Amino acid sequence: MNSLAASPTRLCPNLTVVIPENTGYEEARRAWNLHADLRPAAIVAARDEAEVGEAVRLARAHGLQLVPFTTGHLATALPDLSRAILLRLEFGRAVEVDPPTRRARIPAGALWEEVVEAVAPHGLAVAHGSSPDVGAIGYLLGGGLSFYARRHGLAADQVVSFELVDADGALRRVDADSHPDLFWALRGGGGSFGVVTAVEIDLLPYAEVFGGAVFWRIEDAAAVLHDWAAWTRTAPDSVTTSARLLRLPPIPDVPEPLRAVPVLCVDGVAVEEADGRALVDRLGAVAEPLLGGWETMPSAAVLRIHGDPEQPVPAISEHALLGELDEQALAALLEVAGEGADCPLLFAELRQLGGALATPPADAGARAGLLGRFALFAVGMPMSPADQRPIEASLAGLLDRLAPWDTGRRYLNFAERDLGARAGFDPATHARLTRIREEWDPGRRFLAAHPIAPAG
Ligand SMILES: Cc1cc2nc3c(=O)[nH]c(=O)nc-3n(C[C@H](O)[C@H](O)[C@H](O)COP(=O)(O)OP(=O)(O)OC[C@H]3O[C@@H](n4cnc5c(N)ncnc54)[C@H](O)[C@@H]3O)c2cc1C
């Protein structure tokens, strides 16, 4: 029996502690990514800062680590949790918007959909990612790659302040003036420094944008993909796009022409309409689209351009930051996931980088921009145990084929295996993150996806 079973209520009168022996454990340990198999020593849910402080003291009293957890989108990147308490952040508070200063305050537990719903009525946008149900704070702690990124950079650099419960259980406000080192580390360095209970973020001045998604038959994928890649070499930073080789399942949610047939999709956002139109017209001249289009839309609609799943699903993925892609690189990608490939993946995607991502501001956080020209993100959904091996083999083959163009660096929000933080940063940045972690969490109380930890 877990040591927590003996005395939880004396240590934390307000927290419900769920241990493996309890009936609620199976439900409470479930992550958004159903492929994750988390087995923490205990699970608690915190509804406010005081309960987070209690959870910190509970973990310390039992010599356990504490894992801040919002949705579990990155749960497969967590290390072993057998000596850790999973802290589910369930504040249930509203997002606050201040239109005159164009800022929002995002409480722990908020999903991007809630943030967008709060800011959109004020004619404002926020640099959310492609999925409505990703946790806003987890995304921001990793950097945050949005469809506004080539114009506005990583979302983390739009954060003005964090509120954080530290390793002593104390609530602090962290900004550029109060704690400059910690403020730098939290903007991209992940969840190793404390439990973030709120974030204040600058909003973007877009009530409307020009954006959408266009799909082509797989026979046309090579020609369109080559032209898209050529366009990215001189593309204006007002447009941020993604190109995906997709194999959608034959389910009612999927439009009929896309069910169970491989297609190419180019989607994204242009904050200058003329630049977006020029791209769509150009690609449309290469081959007749099968479906879709770009149009002027409320910025709130950007949340669903990518069509990410909004319910928990099992997913296995691979990722790499890639350099310039020449003919051979695109041929390698098409061989694995293009026409005629026997590909078990849901998609193989290239997210377009460059623009402001290549020129981070001088006061950027730890995840200062993104190295390379494209972020590769490829995913398979194992619906049964038999699916796992072919998906893993295909992902490994894809990374292997693209190795000549791999920068060797990873964007840790997209790295869904436990790589540790070293893979995400240059050595000097990683060393600085390690020093700041030692200062703020010398007992290594906090355990994060891709934890910051010294060598060895
Ligand atoms: C379908 C899908 C689409 C995605 N699209 C994008 C995208 O467009 N752009 C992009 O940049 N990323 C994207 N991601 C990656 C996503 O941003 C990361 O998985 C992110 O970490 C998820 O945060 P979460 O809180 O939802 O997940 P969780 O797994 O709950 O949290 C991930 C990690 O964040 C930390 N964390 C979370 N909340 C807190 C907190 N309150 N305090 C301290 N630490 C905390 C913890 O270290 C935790 O291990 C996508 C992922 C998926 C699965």
Side-chain angles (χ1 to χ4, degrees):
M1 164 99 41
N2 194 308
S3 73
L4 280 162
S7 59
T9 47
R10 191 172 53 78
L11 278 161
C12 50
N14 296 316
L15 291 181
T16 303
V17 182
V18 180
I19 59 169
E21 290 76 10
N22 297 146
T23 44
Y25 184 78
E26 282 307 305
E27 177 64 28
R29 77 183 185 88
R30 190 166 304 144
W32 184 92
N33 187 339
L34 299 174
H35 192 61
D37 184 21
L38 306 181
R39 295 183 182 278
I43 302 158
V44 300
R47 289 161 299 181
D48 57 28
E49 295 81 355
E51 291 189 356
V52 172
E54 284 197 52
V56 172
R57 288 186 282 280
L58 178 73
R60 195 168 52 206
H62 289 268
L64 296 171
Q65 290 188 292
L66 192 64
V67 187
F69 182 97
T70 303
T71 67
H73 273 77
L74 202 49
T76 50
L78 283 168
D80 173 45
L81 302 187
S82 55
R83 301 284 309 150
I85 298 175
L86 190 77
L87 176 64
R88 299 194 79 113
L89 292 155
E90 297 179 358
F91 280 28
R93 286 183 192 156
V95 176
E96 295 164 31
V97 185
D98 186 41
T101 56
R102 238 172 59 195
R103 283 195 179 154
R105 184 173 183 278
I106 304 174
L111 309 181
W112 275 124
E113 174 151 47
E114 297 166 58
V115 184
V116 169
E117 274 173 9
V119 308
H122 303 284
L124 296 168
V126 63
H128 59 81
S130 59
S131 168
D133 67 350
V134 156
I137 290 178
Y139 165 99
L140 291 168
L141 289 170
L145 178 61
S146 73
F147 275 138
Y148 302 99
R150 285 171 36 78
R151 170 59 60 89
H152 293 284
L154 288 174
D157 289 324
Q158 288 143 43
V159 172
V160 182
S161 70
F162 295 87
E163 285 161 41
L164 167 134
V165 172
D166 69 14
D168 294 327
L171 180 64
R172 293 174 186 274
R173 182 186 153 93
V174 179
D175 60 25
D177 297 322
S178 62
H179 301 292
D181 270 2
L182 185 57
F183 183 60
W184 172 85
L186 290 170
R187 287 177 298 147
S192 293
F193 304 92
V195 181
V196 175
T197 55
V199 162
E200 199 186 2
I201 189 168
D202 279 335
L203 302 172
L204 303 175
Y206 303 119
E208 290 185 335
V209 295
F210 187 77
V214 186
F215 298 83
W216 283 268
R217 289 170 190 81
I218 199 70
E219 305 87 273
D220 296 321
V224 177
L225 188 65
H226 276 87
D227 199 57
W228 173 78
W231 167 82
T232 64
R233 283 179 203 124
T234 55
D237 72 4
S238 58
V239 196
T240 306
T241 60
S242 136
R244 267 177 303 171
L245 291 156
L246 261 171
R247 286 168 168 76
L248 293 168
I251 56 172
D253 282 356
V254 172
E256 210 278 319
L258 306 180
R259 280 183 208 160
V261 291
V263 290
L264 173 76
C265 174
V266 174
D267 60 1
V269 165
V271 296
E272 312 273 357
E273 177 174 340
D275 294 335
R277 265 191 206 287
L279 168 66
V280 179
D281 290 350
R282 172 184 173 144
L283 297 182
V286 175
E288 183 69 24
L290 171 65
L291 194 76
W294 287 33
E295 61 188 3
T296 301
M297 55 170 64
S299 53
V302 173
L303 208 47
R304 291 194 162 77
I305 282 179
H306 212 56
D308 282 350
E310 297 181 33
Q311 298 297 325
V313 290
I316 307 176
S317 70
E318 266 301 354
H319 153 67
L321 291 173
L322 305 174
E324 189 59 77
L325 297 182
D326 57 18
E327 295 280 318
Q328 290 102 309
L330 296 176
L333 175 64
L334 287 159
E335 229 170 84
V336 175
E339 188 181 11
D342 180 17
C343 180
L345 304 181
L346 179 68
F347 65 80
E349 170 176 21
L350 296 172
R351 292 234 186 156
Q352 181 192 3
L353 305 180
L357 295 167
T359 53
D363 60 354
R367 166 78 290 136
L370 283 176
L371 186 70
R373 299 265 294 109
F374 301 94
L376 172 75
F377 190 50
V379 176
M381 284 194 184
M383 302 315 285
S384 76
D387 294 342
Q388 186 168 334
R389 202 181 278 259
I391 288 172
E392 282 172 349
S394 179
L395 292 169
L398 182 61
L399 267 200
D400 194 44
R401 293 299 313 275
L402 291 172
W405 298 274
D406 190 340
T407 62
R409 195 70 52 73
R410 300 292 177 257
Y411 169 47
L412 296 178
N413 266 7
F414 280 4
E416 297 187 330
R417 283 186 298 118
D418 173 20
L419 299 179
R422 206 168 286 274
F425 302 98
D426 63 72
T429 302
H430 186 264
R432 184 175 171 198
L433 285 167
T434 305
R435 281 198 301 278
I436 296 169
R437 169 91 198 273
E438 287 299 314
E439 185 188 335
W440 283 90
D441 184 20
R444 312 240 181 106
R445 184 67 56 214
F446 299 110
L447 186 58
H450 308 299
I452 305 285

